[in-house]
Amino acid sequence: MEELRGVHRILSEERGEKGRDMERRRVRIEQTEKKMADLKENIESEIHAARDEYLKMDSHIKLYITEMEQTI
């Protein structure tokens, strides 16, 4: 009977350790997913800002070309 209690205690400890390990992995995965989502959001924001800047510069260039054509 004592031997069974010892085996039960060992198995319970192993199961507890595996449960804690799984929880740590789950937390790491969640943190990584959040970082990836934040990075994606930042990249999309930078792309949007760069596109806006490009459109603004394109508009200025076209205006400049139009003014140069009118003066010629």
Side-chain angles (χ1 to χ4, degrees):
M1 192 66 168
E2 191 62 37
E3 185 180 336
L4 287 176
R5 286 186 183 134
V7 171
H8 182 266
R9 183 174 53 249
I10 291 171
L11 291 175
S12 295
E13 289 172 2
E14 288 176 359
R15 185 177 22 203
E17 181 65 32
K18 287 181 183 179
R20 287 186 292 276
D21 189 41
M22 291 292 285
E23 181 64 20
R24 282 191 290 265
R25 289 181 185 180
R26 186 186 63 76
V27 168
R28 268 191 241 132
I29 289 169
E30 287 176 355
Q31 290 173 345
T32 302
E33 288 174 345
K34 180 161 182 357
K35 287 179 186 176
M36 296 299 286
D38 290 344
L39 287 172
K40 180 183 177 189
E41 186 177 316
N42 288 342
I43 289 169
E44 288 174 349
S45 176
E46 288 181 24
I47 289 171
H48 184 69
R51 184 174 186 279
D52 288 347
E53 186 67 23
Y54 168 79
L55 292 174
K56 188 168 94 174
M57 294 303 291
D58 187 49
S59 175
H60 286 299
I61 291 169
K62 287 179 181 176
L63 178 63
Y64 178 75
I65 289 172
T66 303
E67 289 178 357
M68 291 301 288
E69 287 174 346
Q70 289 176 355
T71 59
I72 293 179

